Amino acid sequence: MEIKKKDIRALTKEQLREFFVNQGDKAFRGNQVYEWLWQKSAHNFEDMTNVSKETRQMLEANFVINHIKVDTMQRSNDGTVKNAVRLHDGLIVESVLIPTATRTTACVSSQVGCSLDCKFCATARLKRMRNLNPDEIYDQVVAIDKESRLYHNRPLSNIVFMGMGEPLMNYNNVIKAIDKITSPEGLGMSPKRITVSTSGVPKMIKKMADDEVKFNLAVSLHSAIDEVRTTIMPFNETFPLKDLKESLEYWYLKTNRKISYEYVVWKGINDAQKDIDAFVKFCKYVPCKVNIIEYNPIDDGDFQQASNLALENYINTLEKNRIVVNVRRSRGKDIDAACGQLANKS
Ligand code: SAH
């Protein structure tokens, strides 16, 4: 029977150094290989040209390098690129490159499918199949960085965890991936340019605060009224707004960093004055800014974008209350790459 080889990127740098010492080699060899695996994103042991042929063969005999493969790539008229990414076990996730005049943002996935059940989101219709490993998250960023350099002549500038999945339900791997992305031994990106977006898992928000993470936090709120939120995001029953509020206060106390609220306004669901008033009240608990996101239809008549009048009402009321609000127009809609549309249709 063939022995299943271990994925070498599951090893920490220290474990890799130890492995070489146990092989009778120098610990330093571990550093060299580690650099190939992460900073240089090598997909084959053969590429590791500064280690001997014998060492490469020995690694080949003991390990595999599981890496993602961009299966299909679609380019939108607006420059947005969507990658369908094949994982080592054949499952597929999607990631998106979003260019603007000044920045290039990677929108990456953290799970295959999703743990949660938001009624308006295409990914929620796929049950959660598994969590992504740190290297699978890292590789999505590397692939998008390459595409950014190729199509836009500049490196990737920002990362948002707004692809498939709920990042806080795969917290450990997301944190490990971000450690690699921000480390000089990985991609060396600033954590200030990374945003983790969550539907709001209070216990994990508190944990992030305790861990003193340096990246930004976005919360997909969509309603500040429990009954409404539970209808559109049923897990709100388990994590009600009271607990969310408390965790956000804890976050701010510990990190002193503003929170972003993601908010879609739907016709007949959250477009009334009482919805606006509840949202404004919620925004006052902790310093924040608001991103109003345009609704991206997912072939479901239950949800429709609210009228411009309702949107203006939201914006005016928020601004009157001195809350910073941005309106996010959808990008990549023609290739199903916009928020909430990622569902392996490609
Ligand atoms: N699970 C995380 C990250 C993935 S969703 C979270 O909930 O934040 C990324 C963002 O897209 C969230 O703000 C989500 O509420 C929003 N979204 C989901 N479906 C959408 C749709 N059909 N149209 C517009 N935004 C949507």
Side-chain angles (χ1 to χ4, degrees):
M1 202 180 80
E2 203 188 328
I3 302 162
K4 203 161 175 274
K5 294 184 208 167
K6 197 176 161 96
D7 181 3
I8 191 165
R9 285 194 296 172
L11 265 54
T12 61
K13 188 173 171 185
E14 218 26 69
Q15 289 167 331
L16 205 52
R17 284 165 57 87
E18 248 171 58
F19 170 80
F20 278 102
V21 173
N22 292 340
Q23 294 284 325
D25 201 338
K26 296 196 179 67
F28 170 73
R29 199 75 60 223
N31 298 20
Q32 285 179 312
V33 171
Y34 192 83
E35 189 175 309
W36 278 108
L37 292 173
W38 295 103
Q39 203 172 47
K40 296 181 184 160
S41 282
H43 283 182
N44 300 296
F45 294 112
E46 285 152 47
D47 297 345
M48 304 181 177
T49 45
N50 61 353
V51 295
S52 72
K53 194 158 180 229
E54 294 73 54
T55 304
R56 282 183 262 153
Q57 282 169 347
M58 183 274 293
L59 288 172
E60 189 84 54
N62 283 281
F63 298 105
V64 287
I65 308 176
N66 285 335
H67 56 81
I68 65 158
K69 188 173 168 297
V70 177
D71 204 58
T72 51
M73 192 206 78
Q74 287 171 278
R75 288 180 76 187
S76 157
N77 302 330
D78 65 17
T80 303
V81 174
K82 180 169 85 169
N83 292 332
V85 162
R86 188 173 293 279
L87 309 172
H88 69 92
D89 54 3
L91 291 172
I92 294 209
V93 291
E94 294 176 336
S95 32
V96 183
L97 175 162
I98 309 152
T100 66
T102 52
R103 50 168 79 171
T104 318
T105 302
C107 174
V108 298
S109 295
S110 55
Q111 298 182 313
V112 188
C114 189
S115 303
L116 300 178
D117 48 8
C118 305
K119 297 287 184 209
F120 46 82
C121 179
T123 309
R125 295 183 179 173
L126 313 165
K127 63 175 195 325
R128 186 198 77 100
M129 283 173 262
R130 72 169 172 86
N131 286 337
L132 293 190
N133 295 326
D135 50 277
E136 292 170 329
I137 297 171
Y138 183 87
D139 285 357
Q140 291 176 65
V141 175
V142 171
I144 294 213
D145 182 45
K146 271 193 198 144
E147 288 165 352
S148 178
R149 289 168 198 268
L150 183 65
Y151 298 121
H152 301 282
N153 294 317
R154 59 188 187 203
L156 181 67
S157 61
N158 296 70
I159 302 172
V160 293
F161 281 78
M162 291 191 189
M164 301 166 94
E166 169 50 50
L168 297 197
M169 296 284 196
N170 183 19
Y171 182 75
N172 289 341
N173 290 350
V174 166
I175 292 293
K176 281 186 193 159
I178 293 177
D179 279 350
K180 291 277 182 336
I181 293 165
T182 52
S183 158
E185 292 183 329
L187 299 176
M189 277 183 77
S190 163
K192 290 193 192 119
R193 294 179 171 274
I194 300 176
T195 300
V196 169
S197 177
T198 175
S199 296
V201 188
K203 194 175 76 187
M204 299 314 294
I205 292 174
K206 283 188 176 169
K207 169 138 180 56
M208 272 181 10
D210 285 337
D211 289 349
E212 296 178 15
V213 300
K214 297 284 179 281
F215 49 79
N216 302 301
L217 173 64
V219 173
S220 303
L221 195 67
H222 304 313
S223 174
I225 301 175
D226 269 315
E227 300 79 75
V228 178
R229 198 165 191 262
T230 300
T231 319
I232 55 177
M233 304 168 87
F235 67 88
N236 184 71
E237 184 107 53
T238 323
F239 309 126
L241 287 163
K242 180 175 74 56
D243 296 355
L244 180 60
K245 165 182 180 265
E246 198 208 311
S247 71
L248 296 174
E249 284 167 344
Y250 188 83
W251 162 273
Y252 189 73
L253 203 72
K254 286 246 166 170
T255 67
N256 212 23
R257 284 210 309 282
K258 272 190 187 177
I259 290 155
S260 302
Y261 293 123
E262 310 290 311
Y263 205 99
V264 180
V265 188
W266 290 283
K267 203 178 197 161
I269 293 178
N270 58 355
D271 59 351
Q273 192 60 45
K274 68 168 181 15
D275 299 292
I276 302 178
D277 294 342
F279 184 33
V280 169
K281 188 173 166 208
F282 199 92
C283 286
K284 290 189 173 165
Y285 295 145
V286 179
C288 69
K289 57 184 185 200
V290 170
N291 292 317
I292 303 261
I293 314 177
E294 193 182 342
Y295 176 55
N296 303 305
I298 55 161
D299 311 325
D300 192 332
D302 288 352
F303 290 92
Q304 283 163 41
Q305 171 74 42
S307 67
N308 282 339
L309 192 68
L311 278 184
E312 273 165 33
N313 209 358
Y314 256 97
I315 295 163
N316 291 340
T317 316
L318 287 163
E319 284 179 345
K320 254 190 231 145
N321 283 276
R322 297 175 183 280
I323 297 157
V324 175
V325 45
N326 294 302
V327 179
R328 290 248 187 98
R329 295 272 159 232
S330 286
R331 306 287 307 269
K333 249 190 196 178
D334 54 332
I335 54 168
D336 280 332
C339 280
Q341 290 187 314
L342 303 184
N344 299 349
K345 243 206 254 174
S346 49

